[in-house]
Amino acid sequence: MAIWNLGSINIDMVYALPHMPEPGETLAASSFDQGLGGKGANMSVAAARAGAHACHIGGVGSEGKWTVDRLTEYGVDTRYIAQLDTATGHAIIAVDPSGENQIILYPGANRALTEDQIGQALTAANAGDILLMQNETNMQAEAARIGHQLGLRVAYAAAPFDAEAVQAVLPFIDLLFLNEVEAAQLQAATGKAPQDLGVDDVIVTLGAKGARHFNGRDGSKIDVPAQRVTPVDTTGAGDTFTGYVLAALDRGLPMAQAMTQASRAGALMVTRHGAADVIPDLKEVQEAKF
């Protein structure tokens, strides 16, 4: 089977500064790093490195061809990424010596996708494939509706969180990923607990406490503990968890096993600096000693 990911692709530009700039102040950066980012790209890489056939649906500008090449190198099927007449999404990230950061995010091509592009990509999908989305592109509700009509298993990672965006896709999704804060915000907006949303499977990540699965069919719950590690960078950990869960489900693993494997992948991820470029592969996850 395959995982079809309607997802963002960002260029992350990270500048190390002596301190955060004051209004009108010009600062020289002591270092600069550029890498592949975006929640969508992270999830595609995670799914591919976990052994799934991950097909990314998205867009970049002419200057972003290298991001597509990088995704291909990591095993992602990039045939459904369009080159659009706008800049690639990018993040300008300033980091001070204490680790505090400020981020300017430009969505760019991530918000210039068309329904025709999504429909054409999904005509290659098979019933039972997984369609994944996050809140960093446009066309989420339209894609969810198309996926639902085609018999795909529709998954939504509700980040960056927006209650209206989640509620727009709820009628069409089968699996919902939230963190603890997002789950509380969604319950406040809808008045419904995770197991009462009408979604078959809801997974709430709980940070160092692990993750919880809510079965919307019978109301049962599964708790999966987190691995004990010393984190150095939590960037991309949630995206890695999501990609690994879906890859495991795609291989036919039961939910508890899928979440356990994803928890191990997320634990490895937080011991590394970076995002898509440092997501562990399945062999690393299976052999890791915690």
Side-chain angles (χ1 to χ4, degrees), residues 28-238:
S30 59
S31 69
F32 167 71
D33 289 303
Q34 180 170 279
L36 173 64
K39 297 187 72 62
N42 294 343
M43 291 181 191
S44 283
V45 171
R49 303 209 74 178
H53 179 197
C55 305
H56 196 98
I57 306 170
V60 297
S62 59
E63 86 292 12
K65 184 179 181 301
W66 69 268
T67 63
V68 180
D69 294 339
R70 186 75 59 83
L71 284 166
T72 303
E73 289 171 13
Y74 292 141
V76 177
D77 185 337
T78 58
R79 290 175 293 170
Y80 307 98
I81 299 174
Q83 183 171 308
L84 303 175
D85 189 23
T86 187
T88 304
H90 56 266
I92 298 171
I93 306 166
V95 183
D96 72 12
S98 72
E100 288 294 324
N101 63 52
Q102 291 182 352
I103 301 173
I104 298 172
L105 180 65
Y106 177 69
N110 296 318
R111 294 280 180 182
L113 308 178
T114 67
E115 188 167 348
D116 283 347
Q117 177 194 353
I118 294 161
Q120 287 172 15
L122 292 181
T123 58
N126 296 305
D129 283 357
I130 294 171
L131 171 62
L132 169 64
M133 297 165 294
Q134 323 79 38
N135 192 27
E136 287 189 340
T137 71
N138 64 328
M139 290 290 152
Q140 297 159 34
E142 293 85 351
R145 175 180 50 79
I146 293 170
H148 179 72
Q149 291 172 346
L150 291 173
L152 307 185
R153 186 177 187 181
V154 183
Y156 188 77
F161 184 79
D162 179 276
E164 289 187 9
V166 181
Q167 291 177 86
V169 300
L170 274 179
F172 309 112
I173 64 175
D174 305 289
L175 203 160
L176 176 63
F177 292 87
L178 301 155
N179 64 30
E180 199 169 13
V181 173
E182 292 160 354
Q185 291 174 326
L186 185 59
Q187 185 162 346
T190 63
K192 295 180 180 179
Q195 63 270 33
D196 299 323
L197 289 168
V199 178
D200 285 350
D201 298 287
V202 180
I203 295 176
V204 179
T205 55
L206 307 170
K209 295 178 289 184
R212 177 170 294 161
H213 169 255
F214 296 88
N215 188 321
R217 295 172 293 271
D218 61 19
S220 63
K221 300 176 186 178
I222 299 171
D223 285 315
V224 173
Q227 312 299 318
R228 293 191 177 186
V229 295
T230 302
V232 299
D233 184 356
T234 60
T235 305

Side-chain angles (χ1 to χ4, degrees), residues 223-260:
D223 285 315
V224 173
Q227 312 299 318
R228 293 191 177 186
V229 295
T230 302
V232 299
D233 184 356
T234 60
T235 305
D239 303 333
T240 299
F241 178 89
T242 299
Y244 260 81
V245 166
L246 294 178
L249 293 176
D250 185 59
R251 293 201 308 276
L253 268 65
M255 182 62 75
Q257 289 184 30
M259 290 173 63
T260 297

